[in-house]
Each structure stands twice: as structure tokens, then as C-alpha cells.
Amino acid sequence: MENFTLKLQSEDKRPLYEQLYRHIIGEIEAGRLKNGERLPSKRALCAHLSVSQSTVETAYGMLTAEGYLRAKPKSGYYVSADLYRPVTGQSAPRTERPAPVKTAPRYDFSTGAVDTGVFPYASWARLSREVVSGNPQLLQRGEAQGDPAFRQALAEFLREYRGVRCEADQIVVGAGLEYLLNVLVQVLPEESVYGLEDPGYQAAWQVLRNHGRQIRMIPLDDSGLREDKLRESGATVAFVTPSHQFPMGSTMPVGRRAALLAWAREADDRFIVEDDYDSEFCYLSRPIPAMQSLDDGEKVIYVGTFSRSIAPSIRVAYLVLPRRLLPVYEQRLGFAASTVSRFEQQTLAAFVSRGFYARHLRRAANLYRKKQQLLLEELEKIPGAKVSGAQAGLHFLLTLPGREEGWLTERAAKAGVPVRGLSAYCRACPCPESTLVLGFAGLKLEEIPEAAKALREAFEA
Amino acid sequence: MENFTLKLQSEDKRPLYEQLYRHIIGEIEAGRLKNGERLPSKRALCAHLSVSQSTVETAYGMLTAEGYLRAKPKSGYYVSADLYRPVTGQSAPRTERPAPVKTAPRYDFSTGAVDTGVFPYASWARLSREVVSGNPQLLQRGEAQGDPAFRQALAEFLREYRGVRCEADQIVVGAGLEYLLNVLVQVLPEESVYGLEDPGYQAAWQVLRNHGRQIRMIPLDDSGLREDKLRESGATVAFVTPSHQFPMGSTMPVGRRAALLAWAREADDRFIVEDDYDSEFCYLSRPIPAMQSLDDGEKVIYVGTFSRSIAPSIRVAYLVLPRRLLPVYEQRLGFAASTVSRFEQQTLAAFVSRGFYARHLRRAANLYRKKQQLLLEELEKIPGAKVSGAQAGLHFLLTLPGREEGWLTERAAKAGVPVRGLSAYCRACPCPESTLVLGFAGLKLEEIPEAAKALREAFEA
């Protein structure tokens, strides 16, 4: 309670619940209320601040809906402010003090890594050389949306491999997915209310929060984002990862896709942001086309990236905008230069249009499938272990019923194989227990048996 | 007046002036009020809307301060919503209709071009090859602020050549200046009021506007941003281009720099954003160190870019943050990957730290100085012509007293040598008349006499 020295001001024009709401956000952002910390009970806080119970309830309710707090039944409200950070600890030192020495993990189970061995260096270097040497005009400023040749190549690729209905003039190329979310926030109406998957992609939450946008956390079921809860929430823009939900790993069935599209069509200001995450790597069946292919071109904003399919350091992602959003894009952002180097755009254009990219994806998918199978075989030896979300992508979930998540991550870290618990991706909704998120793309094929063994041994009490 | 079908709602909770203010912004953004269009007089609008004169005055005053309208003495209020667009018409077609055929200009007087002949292709390609082939780990995700080796190289370069006091951990690398302005807006307090140079860099206005930030347009004098007007405006963050004001071309004397720093030191929430535009190319004297070097490290946010010094298509720029802003940067944006490819960062790191960059700048400056001299010699033959802002950078101003700016730009366009008038960079403050902004970096040395002649002939009535 000592954190609540707040004096609610009756001369302040804002309602009391809003003053309390803003105060708590301020405390979280300043780090005075820390992740996992329990807040005072509603009753205690009412008494302490001499306000009505409904004031505290409203503030706690808003904070929970927006993902700042998590309500645990019969226990109370907890701060849920932890952000996604690379599990391998690559984050930069931020102060003048020397950074603590970090030991590299013995094996890399992070979800952000890729296999650097499968990258076609020789072809890439050759294309890159062709592009740089032949085109001095590429040094001049290019178009805001990206080079036409690259957008053309992308449009054709997306039509053929993902069923996306688009022309090159609807594509916006940008330096990474987070950057393009920044773009989207500027293109969509300011009063939009964003419905995010919970558990989900934490960077989206942070981008929206940084821009002061309204957020609602929407729970999932086995089919992905719950359409009923989306309706209840009052959200106008739904953010989904239908190909391979991050982090749960489910693939959204066509029924749910149709239901979400029907929701979007009911009002003019509703949109669906389809992050086609992990669609490049589908192991079990024929890949399902993008949700955008079911749309009439009005409701789905499609986003994709080369971060996973080529490499995280290739900072190239793309948006496909519904045609009716193009004028506002042009008006607000048409002035800017593209954020991606034109040399890189042209190299990628050649890489995609001459078939190198499709070939690379096939090779990479084969390699990742092998890695996944090997790892699953080893992990299934752990008694009681349950795997889910493995039908696509570069990560899956491992559940060890009866084990506390904190115990699991601590044991793994001590054994030099740090892993992330599912709760790192949860905000407001109930989080499945005893579950870890395991990425395998960064593990070498030959080290997988040892890596799996290290993890298995860590969990033997 | 037919544009003002607005019904001010007394049941709307917002004050009438705010309803009017928002309505006019909406009309401008929707394109129903066009650049240069005259608004109804205050008196006529009062009568039409049945509101008090102070309601209209307040709304017009806010819109003028924020750069939506320009007041012309004895004439009225005009829409000032035109955005910077490449003068060479490289902008993309945005609709399904075929784009109108654009004839390339005979000579490129735009301010955004560079000389592509001076770029050291061979060295760049060699460094790039070294970087790509030797470092598979560069494919993995890097740090949000940029690769440490690149930031280290930048910090050393900025200390040596610009007197900037900084360490690598204060630098944030990003995909272009406009992107980094996006970052800044997220790092500085939301309630900041931004004071922009008028005339000035229109992209800064647009970025701030897209983020719903408060803007004040501040007039200039021969020394740059007027400190007295800055004070009056209530701005908390001043955006300046002290090395070579864009577009006026003045260099800010040390007295004005000190006055602005004193202003910033008077309150905790005040900052100066120093865009060190064109500092690489100084023709007359020893370059003046960056304003940041006069600061104690608390008040100046330094920004620079490789867009002008290498090429517009190299999407790499950098911020130097005061140390006290690092925690909020880390908290809000530390989660993201850098927007610049790590290959490009490492190539640039080698380019800068091994001295290639300094050598390139010397060569480029010599070439640009020659171009400028040749062009000035030719233009001075135009009777009455006055040149200003030519002591640095890649553009200068040409004033032809007694000629209407519109007449000048029209004649130039007809002659196939499109140029931009100064008013394209003006918003709220009085704009100097009869003046053109001429960039010369994109002209080939050997074509300059002809280009100048074409321009001269265009202006012979």
C-alpha cells in the first residue's frame, strides 16, 4: 500500500477512476510497480484512498482489459508488465556501469533464432553484386511504399503461395514488422480499439501502448481468437496470427476465419490485421491460404516478414493494405522515403522473382521439420510431457503437468538451457499452466539430442 | 462557405472552438479544403455558424500556430497543407488507374538528390563482401539500438568531426530520419509541445501531426529559430537545423545556440532536437561543431543521417540521446529489433572506422563545391538575382525580386527544369517572396552551364 501515496484531486477535471488508472500506469512504467507484484485488494484501496468501490473497480477493470494487470481468481490483481526480451540475453547495456557478464546458453531454445547454415549465401551475394554494380540510380531516393519491382515480385509471390489477392500498389515495404505496426497505427482511425490475442505477440501490445491506443486483451480457444469475446470487448481492429498462433501454435480453422470476417463486415471501421506468422513452414498438410484470400479486399490488412523465413537481421517486412486505406496512407505517410535500403529491396526482388526464395523455403522447411522431429522424439521421453502447436512453424509448446512454470524455467536456466515460460506471453487472460515455449530453429541438427537431454535432465527432480 | 456545413453541437462536451478546429482539420485531411484555398473571414464565419467572434478567432489561431493555416495580412487565412513531395515526381501511382505519364526533368534541381558518381562503389562492395561472407551470426537478431561495433564507430566519428559528446550506448541507429522522429515522439513526454522552424523541414511537421502531437510554428531570422518567439509559443521541444537551416541556408551563430540552450535549461521538460543537416558539406570556413557539444549532455538530442552524405537510398540515420532519456527508450522501445539490416550496419561500421567515410566526404565536398561555384557564376548573370544560404550544404536560395514565386516555378516547369518555391516549406509565418530553393547535388558537373542557362532563359520574360 505504500506505493499508493496518490492524492486523488477533486479539482482535477478527470474522473477519479481515470486519475487512479493513470497513476497505476505511471507507477508501472516508472518501474515502481514491478512485474508479478500484487496490488492492494479493491476493498483495502477504497478505504485507503477514501473513494467508492466502483472507482477502484473501474480502474482495475480498465487496467486488466488493457493488459497492465492480470486478475487471478481468489487471489487478486497482479502487475503484468513484463516485455518480450530475447531469452539469450543479447540486450545492450544501457548504463555506464559495465554490463553483467552473461554466459551464452549451452543450447539456444529461443523463438527468435534461425538456422544460419541454410541461408543461400552464394546466390544472395551474387544477386547483391549484380544489383549494386549495375544501378547507380538506386542511390537516389525511392518511393515511400518501396521499389515497384520489389512490390511486384512480392505481389506475385503472395498470390501464388498464400492466395493473397493484391496488386503491387497495395503493398507497403518497411523495416520490420514492428515498424509496419507503427505505420498501421497512423493509418487506422485514432479512436480504433485494438483486440489482441492473449497469450500473444508482446511487441504489438507495446507498439500500441507507445502510441496511446486503446487495447483489449482477447482470450483464445483451440481455434484461436474467440469471436464471442472479441464482440464483447468493443474492439474495432482484431490482430490475429491464423497460420500458427504465437505462441500457442494453433492454426485457425476456416470456420473461425469466416466468423471473424463476418464480425469485421458488420461495421465500416472494423479491420482484421492478419500477421501471417510462420506460414512459410507447414509440416503436416497442405498450407491453408491466408485469411486475406477469403476477404473481398476490404477488411483484412495482411502483414508478413522475411525475419523468420530468411533471417531476423534482414529488416524487411510488408503490409498489404485494403484499397480503401491507400488514400489515407498516401496522405499521412506518402511523404517519407521507404525504410528499407533500395539495394536490399532490389536484391530481394531478384531473389523472390527468380525462384531462389521458394527454393530456399523448401530447403529450410525440410531442415526445420527434421530438427523438430528429432527434438520431439527426445522430449517425449520425459514422463507426462505433452507437446502442442507443432504442426507448423519454428516453435512448439511443452507442457509438464503438475510442475510449476517458475520451477521449470529456473531449473532449465541453471542447467544452461534457458527457456521461456508461456506466462511471458500472457497478460490479462488466464494462462495455461506448466507450459514452456520452445524454439528450435537456432539449434544445430547434430546438437539436438544433447540439447534435449540437457533439458530432460534439468526437469528430473 | 459551402464547406462549412458543420453543425456545432451544444450537447457535444467539447468547447465550440475545439469542434470548429477539429472540423477544419478533418476537411483539410479529407482534401475538401485544398492547399492555398482561402477560408471564410472570421466575421462571415461567426455569422454563418452563429457563434461568437472569439470562438472563430481561437480556432483560427490554433490552426495557424500549428501550421494548418497561414494568415496573410489584410487578406485572410489560407490552407497550408501541402506536403513535401519529390519535385522530380518519383512518387508512386496509388490507384488502379494508370499513372499520368511524367516527363523526366531536363535537369534535376531537387534538394533530395545526390551525385551517384562520387560513391566509392569498389570499397563499399569489398567491405560488404567481407562482412557478409565472414559472419553468419549477423543473420541473428541484433540489438534494438543497433550493432555495438557500428555505434562505437559512429560515436568516435561524431566526437572527432562534430565535437559531439557521446558514448556508443547513447546512440540509436534507425532506418532514416523520419523513422527516428517516430522514435523520439515515443520517448519524449506525450504532452510535449514541439516548436518547429518555419520555413522548415515539412516531414517533421507531418510525423508530429500523425502522432497527434502539439505543434507551434516558430519564425526565423538571419540567425535561425527566434528564441523570443520560441518562448512566447509555449513550446517545450525545439527542432533546429543549426549547421545549415533547411531551407533558408543560414548557419546558427554561437550566440543563438547559447540562447536556445539557456531556454532549454530553464525547465526540466525542455529539449532541443538538433538535426545536424548538411554539416558534412561546409564550404567557406572551418565547420562549427554541433550544438550538442555546448550542452552538458542533458538537453540536446542530436540527429544525423547518411542520406545526404552517402545516398538517400542508404536508409541509415542515428540519434544521440541524453543519458537521462535512455531508461524510457529502453522501457518503451528496447523490445524491438533495429530497423537497419545488420549487414549494412557492419559494412558502414567498417566504412566509418577505417577512414573510408571521411575520405569520401572530402571528395564529395570538393565536387559539390565545384558544382555550386559553377552554378552560382551562371545564375548571377540573371539581372537582380540574389543568392543566399550558399556557405554550406547541397542547396541554396535564389531570389528574383519583383517576380511572383508562382510565375517563376511555372516558367521553370514549362522549360523542363522544375524547381520548388520557398513557400512549399512555409506554414504559418510570413514567407519571403520571389524565392526559389535550388538543389544542385543531382546535376552533373558538365551539365551545369546548360542547366543554369535553361533556368535563366525561363525567367526572361
Side-chain angles (χ1 to χ4, degrees):
Chain A
M1 201 74 89
E2 59 280 13
N3 279 319
F4 287 86
T5 50
L6 161 75
K7 282 239 180 346
L8 298 176
Q9 315 262 320
S10 54
E11 67 272 26
D12 189 325
K13 275 182 225 127
R14 298 170 305 174
L16 292 174
Y17 71 82
E18 191 183 333
Q19 293 182 45
L20 179 58
Y21 160 85
R22 290 195 184 279
H23 174 75
I24 293 175
I25 290 180
E27 295 294 298
I28 291 172
E29 297 205 330
R32 286 188 291 271
L33 275 172
K34 291 190 174 43
N35 186 39
E37 199 167 314
R38 183 155 168 244
L39 270 84
S41 73
K42 290 185 210 169
R43 184 191 305 250
L45 194 56
C46 297
H48 179 67
L49 298 174
S50 309
V51 296
S52 75
Q53 177 133 358
S54 79
T55 295
V56 178
E57 268 170 9
T58 307
Y60 276 19
M62 287 168 69
L63 291 163
T64 307
E66 298 190 4
Y68 280 108
L69 301 183
R70 186 185 315 161
K72 290 196 188 166
K74 293 185 201 157
S75 167
Y77 288 84
Y78 293 80
V79 177
S80 171
D82 200 26
L83 273 177
Y84 178 80
R85 288 273 183 283
V87 72
T88 49
Q90 286 182 9
S91 162
R94 305 293 171 195
T95 65
E96 283 178 294
R97 281 163 292 152
V101 179
K102 291 201 178 110
T103 41
R106 282 164 66 203
Y107 302 107
D108 181 1
F109 281 102
S110 71
T111 56
V114 295
D115 191 309
T116 56
V118 73
F119 183 71
Y121 272 108
S123 319
W124 183 266
R126 184 159 52 77
L127 293 176
S128 170
R129 208 158 47 233
E130 275 177 35
V131 163
V132 173
S133 59
N135 297 295
Q137 81 281 10
L138 290 181
L139 290 168
Q140 304 294 13
R141 182 186 171 99
E143 294 183 7
Q145 289 183 229
D147 275 22
F150 181 39
R151 288 187 279 128
Q152 190 60 45
L154 267 176
E156 282 164 24
F157 181 86
L158 292 175
R159 278 199 298 264
E160 185 176 345
Y161 286 86
R162 302 297 305 133
V164 173
R165 307 185 196 177
C166 68
E167 306 292 333
D169 68 318
Q170 291 171 266
I171 293 183
V172 177
V173 170
L177 191 55
E178 289 125 10
Y179 169 73
L180 288 176
L181 293 179
N182 271 283
V183 168
L184 259 189
V185 162
Q186 294 175 59
V187 169
L188 293 173
E190 199 178 328
E191 58 276 17
S192 298
V193 179
Y194 292 81
L196 299 186
E197 296 172 329
D198 189 15
Y201 176 53
Q202 297 300 293
W205 187 90
Q206 184 70 43
V207 169
L208 295 169
R209 183 43 54 197
N210 285 351
H211 287 88
R213 290 304 187 268
Q214 299 179 77
I215 302 172
R216 300 290 177 267
M217 302 312 299
I218 315 291
L220 312 176
D221 59 18
D222 290 346
S223 300
L225 192 84
R226 282 182 59 176
E227 182 246 1
D228 56 337
K229 294 291 182 185
L230 178 66
R231 282 180 188 279
E232 281 172 24
S233 74
T236 59
V237 180
F239 186 97
V240 289
T241 48
S243 281
H244 192 223
Q245 202 276 336
F246 185 81
M248 296 304 287
S250 56
T251 300
M252 191 182 284
V254 73
R256 180 64 53 87
R257 293 175 189 227
L260 291 178
L261 281 167
W263 164 85
R265 288 193 191 113
E266 284 167 23
D268 204 47
D269 62 344
R270 289 189 186 167
F271 290 95
I272 292 168
V273 181
E274 176 182 24
D275 175 0
D276 203 11
Y277 175 76
D278 265 354
S279 61
E280 300 87 356
F281 305 114
C282 185
Y283 305 128
L284 293 183
S285 56
R286 261 172 57 92
I288 302 179
M291 196 164 162
Q292 200 262 13
S293 68
L294 302 174
D295 185 25
D296 55 2
E298 288 292 310
K299 287 298 179 182
V300 176
I301 298 160
Y302 178 91
V303 302
T305 170
F306 290 96
S307 290
R308 311 283 294 155
S309 60
I310 295 185
S313 71
I314 300 279
R315 304 307 300 156
V316 187
Y318 41 93
L319 281 177
V320 180
L321 290 176
R323 215 162 264 293
R324 66 189 177 115
L325 290 178
L326 293 178
V328 56
Y329 170 84
E330 166 64 16
Q331 192 237 322
R332 300 208 178 138
L333 292 149
F335 73 95
S338 169
T339 46
V340 181
S341 145
R342 296 183 69 195
F343 286 133
E344 206 158 27
Q345 291 190 55
Q346 292 283 342
T347 305
L348 266 170
F351 195 71
V352 171
S353 65
R354 298 201 215 158
F356 291 100
Y357 183 52
R359 206 175 314 148
H360 164 65
L361 287 181
R362 280 194 296 274
R363 281 186 60 209
N366 282 333
L367 175 67
Y368 289 139
R369 185 200 316 253
K370 261 189 225 157
K371 287 188 180 186
Q372 199 208 54
Q373 283 171 349
L374 210 51
L375 185 58
L376 290 180
E377 280 166 23
E378 293 291 325
L379 292 178
E380 277 158 7
K381 295 177 189 164
I382 305 177
K386 255 185 53 192
V387 162
S388 55
Q391 74 283 6
L394 307 182
H395 79 275
F396 55 78
L397 300 187
L398 178 69
T399 304
L400 295 167
R403 293 293 192 192
E404 285 275 337
E405 185 193 296
W407 183 87
L408 291 168
T409 52
E410 199 176 303
R411 296 280 297 193
K414 270 195 191 142
V417 281
V419 294
R420 197 182 293 270
L422 182 56
S423 67
Y425 307 95
C426 296
R427 289 207 158 261
C429 310
C431 184
E433 287 176 5
S434 312
T435 301
L436 303 173
V437 182
L438 299 184
F440 53 84
L443 295 167
K444 292 190 195 79
L445 193 61
E446 61 273 19
E447 72 185 9
I448 285 183
E450 281 170 67
K453 195 171 157 229
L455 207 55
R456 215 173 60 213
E457 286 173 358
F459 300 150
E460 284 166 7
Chain B
M1 200 75 90
E2 60 279 17
N3 279 319
F4 287 86
T5 50
L6 161 75
K7 283 240 181 343
L8 298 177
Q9 316 262 321
S10 54
E11 67 271 27
D12 189 325
K13 276 182 223 127
R14 298 170 305 173
L16 293 174
Y17 71 82
E18 191 182 333
Q19 294 182 46
L20 179 57
Y21 159 85
R22 291 195 184 279
H23 174 74
I24 293 174
I25 290 181
E27 294 295 299
I28 291 172
E29 297 203 330
R32 285 187 291 270
L33 275 172
K34 291 191 174 41
N35 186 39
E37 199 167 315
R38 183 157 168 239
L39 271 83
S41 75
K42 289 185 209 168
R43 184 189 306 247
L45 195 55
C46 297
H48 179 67
L49 298 174
S50 309
V51 295
S52 76
Q53 176 134 358
S54 80
T55 296
V56 178
E57 268 170 9
T58 306
Y60 276 20
M62 286 167 70
L63 291 162
T64 307
E66 298 189 4
Y68 280 107
L69 302 182
R70 187 186 313 162
K72 290 194 189 168
K74 294 186 199 155
S75 166
Y77 288 84
Y78 293 81
V79 177
S80 170
D82 199 28
L83 273 177
Y84 178 81
R85 289 274 183 283
V87 72
T88 49
Q90 287 183 7
S91 163
R94 306 293 172 195
T95 66
E96 283 176 293
R97 282 163 292 151
V101 178
K102 289 197 178 116
T103 42
R106 282 164 66 203
Y107 301 107
D108 182 0
F109 281 101
S110 71
T111 57
V114 296
D115 191 311
T116 56
V118 74
F119 183 70
Y121 271 108
S123 319
W124 183 266
R126 185 160 51 78
L127 293 176
S128 172
R129 209 161 42 234
E130 275 178 36
V131 162
V132 173
S133 59
N135 297 294
Q137 81 280 8
L138 290 182
L139 290 169
Q140 305 293 13
R141 183 187 169 97
E143 296 183 7
Q145 289 184 226
D147 274 22
F150 181 39
R151 288 187 278 127
Q152 190 61 44
L154 267 177
E156 282 164 23
F157 181 86
L158 292 175
R159 279 200 296 265
E160 185 176 344
Y161 285 86
R162 303 295 306 133
V164 172
R165 307 183 195 178
C166 69
E167 306 290 334
D169 68 318
Q170 292 171 267
I171 293 183
V172 177
V173 170
L177 190 54
E178 288 124 12
Y179 169 73
L180 288 177
L181 293 179
N182 271 282
V183 167
L184 258 189
V185 162
Q186 295 175 58
V187 169
L188 293 173
E190 200 178 327
E191 58 276 16
S192 298
V193 179
Y194 292 81
L196 299 187
E197 296 172 330
D198 188 14
Y201 176 54
Q202 298 299 294
W205 186 91
Q206 184 70 42
V207 169
L208 295 169
R209 182 43 55 195
N210 285 351
H211 288 87
R213 291 303 190 265
Q214 299 180 76
I215 302 171
R216 300 291 176 267
M217 303 312 298
I218 315 291
L220 313 175
D221 59 18
D222 291 346
S223 302
L225 193 83
R226 282 181 60 175
E227 182 246 1
D228 56 338
K229 294 290 182 185
L230 179 66
R231 281 179 188 280
E232 280 171 25
S233 75
T236 59
V237 180
F239 185 97
V240 289
T241 48
S243 280
H244 191 224
Q245 202 276 335
F246 185 82
M248 295 305 287
S250 56
T251 299
M252 191 183 285
V254 72
R256 180 65 53 85
R257 295 176 188 226
L260 291 178
L261 281 167
W263 163 85
R265 288 193 190 113
E266 284 167 23
D268 204 45
D269 62 345
R270 288 189 186 166
F271 289 95
I272 292 168
V273 181
E274 176 182 25
D275 174 0
D276 203 12
Y277 175 77
D278 264 354
S279 61
E280 301 87 355
F281 305 114
C282 185
Y283 305 127
L284 293 184
S285 57
R286 261 172 57 91
I288 302 179
M291 196 163 160
Q292 198 264 13
S293 68
L294 302 174
D295 185 25
D296 55 3
E298 289 292 310
K299 287 298 179 183
V300 176
I301 298 160
Y302 178 91
V303 301
T305 171
F306 289 97
S307 289
R308 309 285 292 156
S309 61
I310 296 187
S313 71
I314 300 280
R315 303 307 300 156
V316 188
Y318 40 91
L319 280 177
V320 180
L321 290 176
R323 215 161 264 294
R324 67 189 175 113
L325 290 177
L326 293 178
V328 58
Y329 170 85
E330 166 63 17
Q331 191 237 323
R332 300 207 179 138
L333 292 148
F335 73 96
S338 168
T339 46
V340 182
S341 146
R342 296 183 68 196
F343 286 133
E344 204 158 26
Q345 291 192 54
Q346 293 283 341
T347 305
L348 265 171
F351 195 71
V352 171
S353 65
R354 298 200 216 158
F356 290 99
Y357 184 52
R359 206 174 315 147
H360 165 65
L361 286 182
R362 279 194 298 274
R363 280 186 60 211
N366 282 332
L367 175 67
Y368 289 139
R369 184 200 316 254
K370 261 188 226 158
K371 288 188 180 186
Q372 198 208 53
Q373 282 170 348
L374 210 51
L375 185 57
L376 291 180
E377 280 165 26
E378 293 291 325
L379 293 178
E380 278 159 5
K381 295 177 189 165
I382 304 177
K386 254 186 54 191
V387 161
S388 56
Q391 74 283 4
L394 306 182
H395 79 275
F396 55 78
L397 300 187
L398 176 69
T399 304
L400 295 168
R403 293 292 193 191
E404 284 276 336
E405 186 192 295
W407 184 86
L408 291 168
T409 53
E410 199 175 302
R411 295 281 296 193
K414 270 194 193 146
V417 281
V419 294
R420 198 182 291 272
L422 183 55
S423 67
Y425 307 95
C426 296
R427 290 209 156 259
C429 310
C431 184
E433 288 175 5
S434 312
T435 301
L436 302 173
V437 182
L438 299 185
F440 52 83
L443 295 167
K444 293 193 194 79
L445 192 61
E446 60 275 17
E447 72 184 11
I448 285 183
E450 281 170 68
K453 195 169 157 236
L455 207 54
R456 213 172 62 212
E457 286 172 359
F459 300 149
E460 285 166 5

